[in-house]
Amino acid sequence: MNSTHEKKSKVKNLSLAPQGRLKIEWAESRMPVMMKLREEAKKTLPLKGMRIAGCLHVTKETAVLVRTLRAAGAEVSWSGCNPLSTQDDIAAALAEDEVSIFAWHGMNKEEFYWAIEKTLEIKPTLTLDDGADLIFTVHSKHPEMAKDLYGGTEETTTGVHRLRAMAKDGALKYPVIAINDAETKWDFDNVYGTGQSSVDGILRATNVLLGGKVFVVAGFGHCGKGCAMRARGLGARVVVTEIKPTAALKAVLEGYEVMTMDEAAKIGDIFITATGMKDIVIKKHFESMKEGAIVCNTGHYDCELNLEDLKSVSKSIREVRPNNEEYTLKNGKRVYVLAQGRLVNLAAAEGHPSEVMDMSFANQFLGMVRLAKEGKKLKPQVYDIDPAQDQEIALIKLHSNGMEIDKLTEAQKKYADDYSSGT
Ligand code: ADE
C-alpha cells in the first residue's frame, strides 16, 4: 500500500475476503467507464498526495470506486453510510487489500458514528459522502479540519438538500460538488438503479408475486418513477401518492392511479416510500391496511415509515424471513416490514446494479479529481458538475456498449445558432 497513514480496519470477518474479491471482479467486468478512468489515472496520478475519507455504502461497486481512487494515487479510509447496507465480504476484501475501513452489517447508531470518526484519523484533504453524515460530522465535531479540506462530493438527493441548506445558512466551510445532480447520475441511477434494486430487495425479502398486486409508491420523483415503472413491468397495479401537483399529474399521464395515502393505505398490497420526507406512513395508515400488507422504504433515511407508530399499535413482532418482520396489530391484522424501514434495495439486496453505478461513480471520481486540482480556489458553496462531463461519461458508456451516435454537420451547427431562419 502506497500510504503514509497506518492502515487500520474493523470489519466483521476477514475470512470473507476471497468471496468479496470475486464480487468486486464481477463488478469491474460491468463498469467499463470506471475501468477506463482507472487505466488513465494510473499513468497521471491525479490524486497523488490526497487523503480521502469516504462514507458510502460498502458494496462491490463502491469497492471499484475505492480501487480507482487508490490507483489515482490517493490514500483512502472508509465507512458505510447506512447501518444495514454494508456487505461484509466486500468490507473484508477492502480491509485486506486496500484501505482503512470501519464497517460491518448491522452496526448500531453509536458504532456508525464511531466508524465515521475513525475514518477522519486519516486527516482528509477530500471527503466523499452519501447522505452528508461525514461532512456534517466534520462541521459539527471537527471544524478545524475544514482548513485542510480541498472539498467534498455528495452522492444523493437527500445529502445535496442538506448541504444546500447549510450553504444557504452560510454554514458550509468548504466546497462540495453535487454528484447527484449530474444527468448521468440522477437520470439513470435514481430511476433505473432504484427501480430495479428496490424491486430486487422486495423480492429477496418476500418472494411474492408482483403480478396483480396493488403496489403503492409514495413519491413520484426519479426514484419513485423507477419503482413504479419496474413494478408495472412485472404486472403490478401501481398507485402513486404525492404532495406536489406537477409530479402527481405526471404520474396520472403515465397511467398510474393517484390518490392520498389515506385512501391508498386501505387498498395497497405492497407499499414503498421514496420521498425523502418523514412520516409518510403513520399510525392511521398501518391500522387501515389490509391483512398481510408489505411495507418498505427506499429513501435514504429510515424516517419515512413511522415504525414507532406501528409498534404502538402492535401486540407482537417476529422475524419471518431475513429482512422481513411480521407485526401483528392489536386489530388482529398482520403487516410485514422489510429491512427495518431502511433502504430496502441495499439492506435486502445488493444496491443498484454495477452498470448504473459505473456512471454515478465516474462522476464521483472526476469530482474528486476536479477538487484536488481546483478545490482550494473554490468558495464554500455547492457546485454542479461540468455538463461536458455528463456527455463525456455517456459517450464512453455508449462506446463501451459498442454503439456509435450521429454528430452534427457544420451546416447543422450553423442552423442551431441561427435564430433568423423560421418557416
Ligand atoms: N447506492 C445504491 N446502490 C449502490 C451500490 N450498488 N453501491 C453503492 N451505493 C449505492
Side-chain angles (χ1 to χ4, degrees):
M1 184 176 182
N2 61 343
S3 109
T4 47
H5 167 77
E6 192 198 343
K7 185 162 87 72
K8 291 184 223 140
S9 293
K10 186 163 160 55
V11 297
K12 185 154 293 159
N13 182 354
L14 278 177
S15 72
L16 297 173
Q19 181 185 310
R21 271 186 223 114
L22 276 178
K23 287 190 185 167
I24 298 167
E25 267 179 49
W26 172 257
E28 283 174 340
S29 76
R30 318 269 131 183
M31 298 177 80
V33 183
M34 289 302 286
M35 297 313 279
K36 183 164 192 288
L37 292 173
R38 188 189 293 174
E39 284 315 304
E40 285 163 8
K42 274 186 194 162
K43 293 178 213 137
T44 54
L45 298 180
L47 295 174
K48 192 156 186 263
M50 290 291 126
R51 296 182 301 276
I52 301 175
C55 178
L56 193 146
H57 307 292
V58 179
T59 65
K60 58 193 184 305
E61 292 75 24
T62 299
V64 176
L65 171 62
V66 168
R67 285 184 173 181
T68 307
L69 295 169
R70 290 196 69 246
E75 283 180 55
V76 179
S77 65
W78 213 263
S79 71
C81 68
N82 184 292
L84 293 189
S85 65
T86 293
Q87 294 167 20
D88 288 320
D89 48 2
I90 305 295
L94 285 174
E96 279 213 336
D97 301 344
E98 320 278 340
V99 297
S100 293
I101 174 164
F102 307 91
W104 59 94
H105 188 91
M107 300 176 120
N108 63 32
K109 202 167 171 177
E110 199 183 310
E111 291 164 338
F112 179 84
Y113 283 103
W114 170 86
I116 290 182
E117 288 288 342
K118 291 300 281 179
T119 63
L120 290 173
E121 287 178 4
I122 200 172
K123 300 204 170 14
T125 54
L126 293 165
T127 58
L128 191 156
D129 257 285
D130 184 340
D133 283 329
L134 171 61
I135 207 169
F136 196 72
T137 302
V138 170
H139 279 72
S140 57
K141 304 251 172 62
H142 305 281
E144 75 291 349
M145 282 188 175
K147 66 176 185 330
D148 294 325
L149 279 156
Y150 286 59
T153 52
E154 170 50 52
E155 171 82 4
T156 200
T157 319
T158 305
V160 170
H161 277 169
R162 238 176 134 181
L163 292 167
R164 286 200 198 283
M166 277 169 81
K168 199 163 150 219
D169 260 6
L172 195 62
K173 289 184 182 297
Y174 59 91
V176 182
I177 300 180
I179 302 300
N180 180 69
D181 297 0
E183 195 179 347
T184 42
K185 200 280 182 182
W186 59 261
D187 228 5
F188 298 88
D189 170 318
N190 300 21
V191 181
Y192 306 99
T194 308
Q196 178 167 323
S197 60
S198 300
V199 168
D200 185 10
I202 293 169
L203 295 183
R204 291 195 205 194
T206 64
N207 198 28
V208 293
L209 180 72
L210 286 193
K213 293 285 190 307
V214 177
F215 190 96
V216 180
V217 180
F220 201 66
H222 295 99
C223 296
K225 202 179 286 176
C227 295
M229 175 172 66
R230 291 309 184 225
R232 175 154 73 186
L234 286 167
R237 275 175 53 205
V238 175
V239 170
V240 170
T241 72
E242 250 299 339
I243 47 127
K244 192 174 173 191
T246 48
L249 203 51
K250 283 179 195 167
V252 172
L253 268 65
E254 281 294 332
Y256 302 119
E257 284 177 67
V258 172
M259 61 185 75
T260 61
M261 184 55 85
D262 285 1
E263 290 307 310
K266 296 181 215 155
I267 62 166
D269 297 301
I270 301 170
F271 297 79
I272 186 161
T273 51
T275 70
M277 179 47 67
K278 68 176 195 168
D279 291 342
I280 302 304
V281 183
I282 56 176
K283 192 184 290 183
K284 62 176 175 176
H285 301 132
F286 290 119
E287 282 185 310
S288 64
M289 281 178 188
K290 295 198 298 198
E291 156 63 20
I294 294 165
V295 292
C296 64
N297 163 54
T298 195
H300 189 80
Y301 290 114
D302 62 340
C303 57
E304 305 204 19
L305 307 174
N306 191 325
L307 295 184
E308 285 309 311
D309 272 8
L310 178 57
K311 279 180 196 142
S312 74
V313 293
S314 297
K315 54 185 182 196
S316 65
I317 307 171
R318 62 174 182 154
E319 188 177 52
V320 290
R321 292 168 58 97
N323 294 305
N324 185 340
E325 283 183 316
E326 177 189 77
Y327 285 68
T328 303
L329 275 63
K330 290 174 189 158
N331 67 15
K333 287 187 280 187
R334 290 171 296 182
V335 168
Y336 294 87
V337 177
L338 309 187
Q340 299 169 34
R342 293 196 182 273
L343 286 158
V344 71
N345 58 340
L346 280 139
E350 290 174 63
H352 302 352
S354 308
E355 289 87 341
V356 280
M357 295 316 291
D358 193 21
M359 293 195 285
S360 307
F361 286 166
N363 281 297
Q364 280 285 6
F365 178 75
L366 294 173
M368 289 278 112
V369 171
R370 176 176 164 201
L371 288 166
K373 219 187 285 172
E374 20 177 292
K376 283 287 180 190
K377 288 182 249 149
L378 297 175
K379 292 204 180 78
Q381 285 168 7
V382 179
Y383 292 85
D384 282 333
I385 66 132
D386 176 359
Q389 181 176 307
D390 262 331
Q391 299 311 322
E392 190 191 325
I393 291 174
L395 196 61
I396 303 175
K397 194 75 176 168
L398 286 164
H399 286 166
S400 67
N401 281 319
M403 291 168 200
E404 283 295 341
I405 55 170
D406 292 327
K407 291 191 180 70
L408 286 180
T409 62
E410 285 310 313
Q412 284 173 319
K413 282 187 202 159
K414 215 158 143 205
Y415 177 80
D417 292 336
D418 178 8
Y419 51 82
S420 65
S421 59
T423 314

